[in-house]
DNA sequence: TTCGGTTGTCTAGATTAATAGACATTTGGA
DNA sequence: TCCAAATGTCTATTAATCTAGACAACCGAA
């Protein structure tokens, strides 16, 4: 059931569980949530507490309450984002969304943080282009990423990305015909700071973090990326028989 | 900063942020947390609120307060768990922990859920062995898994696993010399139900969920697994150039 | 030994979350 | 038309969380 005195309000725990149940397709037969009184009994809480949870889901656009009728489920799908040797954002989502958009928030040339330098095999102090992006599908923000590219070779990355809205296209203009993903690390944290705002999350929401290194076909690292996905909108899939 | 009226208590938000900062190595120089008054000022809250957060971290064994001195950081590493074509639990953690242990909670033969039957390419209604396990490293629970094996071929899986404590060994006794992972799906949710207890998590904690299908060398699916990792103790790594 | 800086403990009050109950409003169907 | 079932709104009370301040206990260094 739900846990009291955990530092997480009951209404938020219930909202999280209902969001999960919806994504899981538990109410697909009717397309409606069970009545508030039923949910209150099931979770062992007051009806008002369930209403707080429902209000949060309505705020997220997941459900819509209709007086006299019940509460309708508006949206349930979680996008599938494949991770493989050839991970690319727009292609990855494929036909799961009509309108896939990349937006650049910021680009700057600066000294690479030590973690980035190490991952890219660069000497400490090397300059890199840092680029902050947000990716959306059907106007819903899906992920936020921080990319690093060696400045010597990709100094124009920011300008070109801003025009093409695609890392793949920008690489092509800069002479990299193709590239592959060398490694990906995946972890999960609570959303914080700018990510809450840019991904339109509520505090306490979960973020899937991937840290990846891409190389050109000769094996030279050309990109370090840290991408934060809204965990309630996307699942990552790894195909290991490619 | 921290968010009020979010349904997540301030002390919990602060505990989550500090756990993250510790894992990130932010305080490695001194090995001590900043004083409570400093943290209170930094987060814009009362000292008592910081103390509540600190108490939660102490409960998890991450920090240890010492009167008159300060608060010492006890542990910061997050285990690295690789996902690849040849993912095996015990080998994966390698030398990151001395004592790696698998424990069986339950084994039963039952009709496969439709999702499992589909993933394994079995007709609806086929019997499977369902097995619940917990894996620990150095006595700390790391993950909890639900496995399904086709009952016709692996009816004895439960008994053998209980003796060998290893899926790989059990497969070998049942005539599967080697096996590979076909696919892995990764998502993140809040911990709930039994998982909180078995993984010794606090409510609100994050779980990384992997859903995987393994096949024998002829490509026949032989195992469906849903594994729940404690997200603050492990990170998943995907090597795509294997 | 004294003192500054730290964690530990206590009391009190303000704010937020949850419970409880009553009744209004809306809808679809008998 | 009327009723059952659902969401919407209001008041009041209790429980949990956060703030505020004071002081005790402890440690290391001057």
């Amino acid at each position: 059931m739900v846990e009291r005195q955990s530092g997480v309000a009951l209404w938020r725990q219930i909202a999280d569980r209902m969001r999960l149940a919806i994504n899981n397709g538990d109410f697909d037969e009717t397309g409606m949530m069970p009545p508030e009184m039923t949910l209150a009994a099931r979770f062992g809480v007051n009806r008002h507490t369930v209403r707080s949870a429902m209000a949060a889901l309505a705020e997220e656009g997941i459900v819509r309450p209709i007086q006299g009728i019940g509460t309708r489920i508006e949206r349930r799908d979680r996008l599938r984002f494949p991770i493989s040797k050839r991970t690319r954002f727009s292609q990855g989502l494929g036909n799961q969304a009509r309108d896939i958009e990349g937006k650049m928030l910021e680009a700057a040339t600066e000294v690479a943080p030590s973690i980035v330098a190490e991952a890219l095999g660069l000497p400490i102090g090397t300059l890199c282009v840092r680029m902050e992006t947000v990716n959306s599908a059907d106007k819903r923000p899906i992920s936020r990423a921080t990319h690093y590219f060696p400045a010597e070779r990709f100094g124009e990355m920011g300008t070109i990305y801003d025009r093409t809205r695609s890392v793949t296209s920008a690489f092509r203009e800069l002479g990299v015909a193709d590239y592959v993903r060398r490694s990906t690390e995946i972890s999960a944290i609570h959303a914080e700071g700018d990510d809450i705002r840019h991904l339109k999350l509520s505090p306490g929401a979960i973020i899937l973090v991937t840290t990846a290194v891409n190389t050109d076909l000769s094996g030279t690292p050309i990109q370090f990326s840290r991408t934060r996905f809204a965990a309630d909108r996307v699942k990552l899939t790894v195909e290991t028989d490619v």
Side-chain angles (χ1 to χ4, degrees), chain A:
Chain A
M1 203 55 59
V2 285
E3 315 265 342
R4 284 156 198 269
Q5 286 170 317
S6 64
V8 182
L10 294 181
W11 65 264
R12 174 158 285 283
Q13 295 184 52
I14 291 169
D16 290 339
R17 303 240 338 223
M18 293 198 298
R19 190 189 301 104
L20 194 64
I22 292 168
N23 279 333
N24 201 30
D26 286 5
F27 310 119
D28 280 7
E29 294 173 18
T30 61
M32 303 286 285
M33 297 299 290
E36 291 168 354
M37 286 302 290
T38 307
L39 290 169
R42 185 179 304 170
F43 287 115
V45 301
N46 191 274
R47 178 178 160 231
H48 293 294
T49 309
V50 170
R51 281 179 62 75
S52 297
M54 212 66 100
L57 295 183
E59 178 72 20
E60 296 177 41
I62 294 175
V63 301
R64 184 161 59 90
I66 308 170
Q67 189 170 359
I69 307 280
T71 302
R72 179 172 297 157
I73 293 165
E74 295 281 285
R75 176 164 49 68
R76 60 153 288 210
D77 287 339
R78 207 182 274 220
L79 296 175
R80 162 191 296 263
F81 187 82
I83 291 180
S84 70
K85 207 162 178 172
R86 299 187 49 80
T87 295
R88 279 114 178 86
F89 188 85
S90 50
Q91 290 176 28
L93 294 177
N95 56 7
Q96 297 176 79
R98 281 189 304 282
D99 171 24
I100 292 169
E101 188 189 6
K103 184 181 160 196
M104 197 180 80
L105 300 173
E106 186 189 354
T109 302
E110 56 192 44
V111 172
S114 57
I115 290 181
V116 173
E118 189 180 342
L120 294 179
L122 300 172
I124 301 291
T126 308
L127 285 179
C128 277
V129 172
R130 175 175 60 80
M131 194 166 84
E132 307 284 340
T133 63
V134 175
N135 282 293
S136 306
D138 292 336
K139 304 295 179 196
R140 292 179 75 214
I142 297 301
S143 66
R144 170 132 161 53
T146 304
H147 308 275
Y148 288 90
F149 308 90
E152 188 180 358
R153 195 166 165 201
F154 303 109
E156 295 306 308
M157 177 56 82
T159 318
I160 301 179
Y161 180 87
D162 200 29
R163 170 163 47 81
T164 62
R165 302 297 178 85
S166 158
V167 171
T168 307
S169 304
F171 268 145
R172 202 173 298 124
E173 291 199 23
L174 289 164
V176 178
D178 198 7
Y179 61 101
V180 298
R181 180 166 289 208
R182 169 187 284 176
S183 65
T184 310
E185 283 190 358
I186 300 163
S187 59
I189 60 173
H190 287 108
E192 64 176 54
D194 278 355
D195 292 344
I196 291 180
R197 200 171 70 252
H198 285 117
L199 295 177
K200 294 182 182 151
L201 295 171
S202 44
I206 302 177
I207 279 187
L208 276 165
V209 184
T210 68
T211 307
V213 174
N214 285 333
T215 70
D216 63 18
L217 294 189
S218 76
T220 307
I222 57 176
Q223 177 184 10
F224 176 96
S225 294
R226 184 167 178 281
T227 307
R228 286 88 79 199
F229 293 89
D232 61 335
R233 293 171 206 159
V234 69
K235 62 182 173 184
L236 308 177
T237 70
V238 183
E239 303 292 331
T240 30
D241 56 356
V242 174

